[in-house]
Short mmCIF file of all heavy atoms in Angstrom, two decimals:
data_model
loop_
_atom_site.label_atom_id
_atom_site.label_comp_id
_atom_site.label_asym_id
_atom_site.label_seq_id
_atom_site.Cartn_x
_atom_site.Cartn_y
_atom_site.Cartn_z
N GLU A 177 107.07 -6.09 79.00
CA GLU A 177 106.71 -4.86 78.26
C GLU A 177 107.69 -4.56 77.09
O GLU A 177 107.25 -4.13 76.05
CB GLU A 177 106.67 -3.69 79.33
CG GLU A 177 106.05 -2.44 78.87
CD GLU A 177 104.56 -2.43 78.69
OE1 GLU A 177 103.90 -2.95 79.65
OE2 GLU A 177 104.09 -2.04 77.70
N ALA A 178 108.97 -4.87 77.42
CA ALA A 178 109.99 -4.53 76.38
C ALA A 178 109.71 -5.41 75.18
O ALA A 178 109.80 -4.92 74.03
CB ALA A 178 111.34 -4.79 76.94
N MET A 179 109.49 -6.67 75.39
CA MET A 179 109.24 -7.63 74.25
C MET A 179 108.00 -7.24 73.51
O MET A 179 107.90 -7.24 72.26
CB MET A 179 109.17 -9.04 74.71
CG MET A 179 108.96 -10.06 73.59
SD MET A 179 110.22 -10.03 72.30
CE MET A 179 111.61 -10.70 73.11
N PHE A 180 106.94 -6.85 74.24
CA PHE A 180 105.60 -6.43 73.72
C PHE A 180 105.90 -5.25 72.69
O PHE A 180 105.38 -5.24 71.60
CB PHE A 180 104.73 -6.03 74.83
CG PHE A 180 103.43 -5.42 74.49
CD1 PHE A 180 102.59 -6.00 73.53
CD2 PHE A 180 102.96 -4.31 75.10
CE1 PHE A 180 101.35 -5.40 73.12
CE2 PHE A 180 101.73 -3.73 74.77
CZ PHE A 180 100.97 -4.28 73.81
N ARG A 181 106.71 -4.34 73.13
CA ARG A 181 106.94 -3.12 72.30
C ARG A 181 107.79 -3.48 71.07
O ARG A 181 107.56 -2.99 70.00
CB ARG A 181 107.61 -1.98 73.12
CG ARG A 181 106.68 -1.60 74.20
CD ARG A 181 106.78 -0.31 74.88
NE ARG A 181 105.58 -0.20 75.64
CZ ARG A 181 104.42 0.31 75.23
NH1 ARG A 181 104.32 0.89 74.08
NH2 ARG A 181 103.33 0.28 75.99
N ARG A 182 108.73 -4.40 71.24
CA ARG A 182 109.60 -4.73 70.08
C ARG A 182 108.86 -5.60 69.01
O ARG A 182 109.14 -5.48 67.91
CB ARG A 182 110.82 -5.55 70.57
CG ARG A 182 111.77 -4.71 71.41
CD ARG A 182 112.92 -5.54 71.92
NE ARG A 182 113.83 -5.85 70.80
CZ ARG A 182 114.70 -6.88 70.83
NH1 ARG A 182 114.78 -7.65 71.89
NH2 ARG A 182 115.45 -7.09 69.81
N LEU A 183 107.94 -6.38 69.52
CA LEU A 183 107.30 -7.38 68.63
C LEU A 183 106.02 -6.84 68.04
O LEU A 183 105.77 -7.00 66.82
CB LEU A 183 107.00 -8.67 69.45
CG LEU A 183 106.58 -9.89 68.71
CD1 LEU A 183 107.68 -10.35 67.74
CD2 LEU A 183 106.29 -10.96 69.76
N ASN A 184 105.21 -6.14 68.91
CA ASN A 184 103.88 -5.77 68.43
C ASN A 184 103.75 -4.24 68.17
O ASN A 184 102.76 -3.79 67.60
CB ASN A 184 102.83 -6.14 69.48
CG ASN A 184 102.82 -7.63 69.82
OD1 ASN A 184 103.14 -8.06 70.96
ND2 ASN A 184 102.45 -8.44 68.88
N HIS A 185 104.72 -3.50 68.58
CA HIS A 185 104.74 -2.02 68.35
C HIS A 185 103.36 -1.39 68.56
O HIS A 185 102.73 -0.85 67.65
CB HIS A 185 105.22 -1.70 66.92
CG HIS A 185 106.64 -1.92 66.72
ND1 HIS A 185 107.60 -0.95 66.83
CD2 HIS A 185 107.32 -3.05 66.48
CE1 HIS A 185 108.82 -1.48 66.62
NE2 HIS A 185 108.68 -2.76 66.37
N PRO A 186 102.79 -1.52 69.77
CA PRO A 186 101.49 -0.94 70.07
C PRO A 186 101.46 0.61 69.93
O PRO A 186 102.46 1.23 70.20
CB PRO A 186 101.19 -1.37 71.46
CG PRO A 186 102.55 -1.48 72.10
CD PRO A 186 103.48 -1.97 71.02
N ALA A 187 100.27 1.10 69.63
CA ALA A 187 100.04 2.51 69.62
C ALA A 187 100.10 2.98 71.09
O ALA A 187 99.55 2.23 71.95
CB ALA A 187 98.72 2.85 69.03
N ALA A 188 100.72 4.10 71.40
CA ALA A 188 100.65 4.58 72.81
C ALA A 188 99.13 4.86 73.03
O ALA A 188 98.41 5.24 72.05
CB ALA A 188 101.43 5.83 72.93
N PRO A 189 98.53 4.76 74.11
CA PRO A 189 99.16 4.47 75.39
C PRO A 189 98.74 3.12 75.93
O PRO A 189 98.23 3.00 77.11
CB PRO A 189 98.58 5.57 76.28
CG PRO A 189 97.14 5.70 75.73
CD PRO A 189 97.17 5.27 74.32
N VAL A 190 98.92 2.04 75.20
CA VAL A 190 98.54 0.70 75.76
C VAL A 190 99.68 0.06 76.43
O VAL A 190 100.81 0.13 75.89
CB VAL A 190 97.92 -0.25 74.67
CG1 VAL A 190 98.86 -0.69 73.67
CG2 VAL A 190 97.23 -1.41 75.31
N TYR A 191 99.48 -0.51 77.55
CA TYR A 191 100.54 -1.23 78.28
C TYR A 191 100.14 -2.66 78.50
O TYR A 191 98.94 -2.94 78.63
CB TYR A 191 100.83 -0.53 79.64
CG TYR A 191 101.41 0.83 79.43
CD1 TYR A 191 100.62 1.99 79.41
CD2 TYR A 191 102.76 0.99 79.13
CE1 TYR A 191 101.21 3.24 79.17
CE2 TYR A 191 103.31 2.22 78.89
CZ TYR A 191 102.52 3.32 78.85
OH TYR A 191 103.07 4.57 78.64
N MET A 192 101.09 -3.47 78.57
CA MET A 192 100.88 -4.93 78.70
C MET A 192 100.09 -5.26 80.00
O MET A 192 99.20 -6.14 80.03
CB MET A 192 102.17 -5.71 78.73
CG MET A 192 101.96 -7.05 78.12
SD MET A 192 103.54 -7.92 77.97
CE MET A 192 103.70 -8.45 79.68
N GLY A 193 100.35 -4.48 81.07
CA GLY A 193 99.70 -4.72 82.35
C GLY A 193 98.15 -4.54 82.23
O GLY A 193 97.39 -5.35 82.78
N GLU A 194 97.71 -3.51 81.43
CA GLU A 194 96.31 -3.32 81.21
C GLU A 194 95.69 -4.50 80.43
O GLU A 194 94.57 -4.93 80.64
CB GLU A 194 96.07 -2.04 80.44
CG GLU A 194 96.41 -0.80 81.18
CD GLU A 194 96.50 0.40 80.23
OE1 GLU A 194 95.68 0.50 79.25
OE2 GLU A 194 97.42 1.17 80.39
N ILE A 195 96.47 -4.94 79.44
CA ILE A 195 95.98 -6.09 78.60
C ILE A 195 95.77 -7.32 79.48
O ILE A 195 94.77 -8.02 79.43
CB ILE A 195 96.93 -6.42 77.42
CG1 ILE A 195 96.83 -5.19 76.45
CG2 ILE A 195 96.63 -7.69 76.74
CD1 ILE A 195 97.74 -5.31 75.25
N ILE A 196 96.74 -7.60 80.36
CA ILE A 196 96.68 -8.78 81.18
C ILE A 196 95.47 -8.61 82.14
O ILE A 196 94.70 -9.57 82.29
CB ILE A 196 98.00 -8.96 82.01
CG1 ILE A 196 99.10 -9.35 81.03
CG2 ILE A 196 97.85 -10.00 83.12
CD1 ILE A 196 100.51 -9.36 81.70
N ALA A 197 95.32 -7.45 82.71
CA ALA A 197 94.13 -7.25 83.62
C ALA A 197 92.86 -7.43 82.91
O ALA A 197 91.93 -8.08 83.43
CB ALA A 197 94.24 -5.82 84.19
N GLY A 198 92.78 -6.99 81.61
CA GLY A 198 91.56 -7.14 80.86
C GLY A 198 91.35 -8.59 80.49
O GLY A 198 90.22 -9.12 80.57
N LEU A 199 92.41 -9.27 80.11
CA LEU A 199 92.20 -10.70 79.74
C LEU A 199 91.79 -11.56 80.91
O LEU A 199 91.05 -12.53 80.75
CB LEU A 199 93.56 -11.23 79.14
CG LEU A 199 93.94 -10.70 77.74
CD1 LEU A 199 95.30 -11.16 77.37
CD2 LEU A 199 92.92 -11.20 76.71
N LYS A 200 92.28 -11.16 82.07
CA LYS A 200 91.87 -11.94 83.27
C LYS A 200 90.38 -11.78 83.51
O LYS A 200 89.73 -12.65 84.12
CB LYS A 200 92.68 -11.42 84.49
CG LYS A 200 94.08 -12.01 84.52
CD LYS A 200 95.02 -11.29 85.47
CE LYS A 200 94.79 -11.63 86.87
NZ LYS A 200 95.75 -10.94 87.74
N GLN A 201 89.78 -10.67 83.14
CA GLN A 201 88.38 -10.40 83.41
C GLN A 201 87.50 -10.92 82.27
O GLN A 201 86.27 -10.97 82.37
CB GLN A 201 88.12 -8.92 83.55
CG GLN A 201 88.72 -8.39 84.83
CD GLN A 201 88.49 -6.90 84.93
OE1 GLN A 201 87.33 -6.47 85.13
NE2 GLN A 201 89.51 -6.10 84.76
N LEU A 202 88.07 -11.30 81.12
CA LEU A 202 87.30 -11.77 80.00
C LEU A 202 87.00 -13.22 80.27
O LEU A 202 87.84 -14.02 80.53
CB LEU A 202 88.15 -11.64 78.75
CG LEU A 202 87.46 -11.84 77.36
CD1 LEU A 202 86.37 -10.75 77.17
CD2 LEU A 202 88.52 -11.70 76.30
N LYS A 203 85.73 -13.58 80.04
CA LYS A 203 85.26 -14.95 80.39
C LYS A 203 85.70 -15.91 79.29
O LYS A 203 85.55 -15.61 78.10
CB LYS A 203 83.74 -15.01 80.48
CG LYS A 203 83.23 -14.26 81.76
CD LYS A 203 81.74 -14.39 81.87
CE LYS A 203 81.19 -13.19 82.58
NZ LYS A 203 80.28 -12.34 81.86
N ASP A 204 86.17 -17.06 79.64
CA ASP A 204 86.43 -18.17 78.72
C ASP A 204 87.12 -17.77 77.41
O ASP A 204 86.60 -18.06 76.32
CB ASP A 204 85.07 -18.83 78.34
CG ASP A 204 84.43 -19.40 79.58
OD1 ASP A 204 85.09 -19.73 80.51
OD2 ASP A 204 83.10 -19.48 79.58
N CYS A 205 88.27 -17.19 77.57
CA CYS A 205 88.95 -16.77 76.31
C CYS A 205 90.07 -17.75 75.93
O CYS A 205 90.58 -18.51 76.87
CB CYS A 205 89.48 -15.37 76.37
SG CYS A 205 90.95 -15.16 77.38
N TYR A 206 90.44 -17.79 74.67
CA TYR A 206 91.61 -18.50 74.21
C TYR A 206 92.67 -17.47 73.86
O TYR A 206 92.34 -16.38 73.44
CB TYR A 206 91.29 -19.27 72.92
CG TYR A 206 90.37 -20.44 73.13
CD1 TYR A 206 88.98 -20.26 73.35
CD2 TYR A 206 90.83 -21.75 73.20
CE1 TYR A 206 88.11 -21.31 73.56
CE2 TYR A 206 89.98 -22.85 73.44
CZ TYR A 206 88.60 -22.57 73.63
OH TYR A 206 87.79 -23.66 73.83
N LEU A 207 93.92 -17.86 74.11
CA LEU A 207 95.00 -16.92 73.64
C LEU A 207 95.66 -17.47 72.39
O LEU A 207 95.69 -18.73 72.29
CB LEU A 207 96.05 -16.79 74.76
CG LEU A 207 95.59 -16.14 76.02
CD1 LEU A 207 96.80 -15.92 76.98
CD2 LEU A 207 94.87 -14.83 75.86
N GLN A 208 96.13 -16.62 71.55
CA GLN A 208 96.98 -17.09 70.40
C GLN A 208 98.30 -16.37 70.49
O GLN A 208 98.33 -15.15 70.75
CB GLN A 208 96.26 -16.86 69.08
CG GLN A 208 95.89 -15.37 68.79
CD GLN A 208 95.47 -15.15 67.36
OE1 GLN A 208 95.66 -16.04 66.54
NE2 GLN A 208 94.89 -14.06 67.08
N SER A 209 99.29 -17.12 70.27
CA SER A 209 100.66 -16.53 70.50
C SER A 209 101.60 -16.98 69.34
O SER A 209 101.72 -18.17 68.99
CB SER A 209 101.29 -17.14 71.80
OG SER A 209 100.40 -16.81 72.82
N CYS A 210 102.13 -15.92 68.68
CA CYS A 210 102.99 -16.22 67.55
C CYS A 210 104.47 -16.11 67.99
O CYS A 210 104.90 -15.13 68.62
CB CYS A 210 102.71 -15.15 66.42
SG CYS A 210 103.73 -15.38 64.95
N PHE A 211 105.28 -17.09 67.66
CA PHE A 211 106.70 -17.12 68.01
C PHE A 211 107.56 -16.97 66.79
O PHE A 211 107.30 -17.66 65.76
CB PHE A 211 106.99 -18.41 68.77
CG PHE A 211 106.46 -18.39 70.17
CD1 PHE A 211 105.17 -18.82 70.40
CD2 PHE A 211 107.12 -17.80 71.18
CE1 PHE A 211 104.57 -18.77 71.65
CE2 PHE A 211 106.60 -17.73 72.44
CZ PHE A 211 105.28 -18.24 72.63
#
Side-chain angles (χ1 to χ4, degrees):
E177 191 71 46
M179 180 58 73
F180 174 47
R181 298 201 169 270
R182 291 179 72 201
L183 192 60
N184 303 114
H185 288 264
V190 69
Y191 293 96
M192 212 177 76
E194 291 163 40
I195 289 180
I196 292 171
L199 288 172
K200 282 164 76 175
Q201 291 179 71
L202 192 62
K203 293 181 206 116
D204 299 334
C205 75
Y206 291 78
L207 297 186
Q208 59 169 348
S209 306
C210 182
F211 288 89

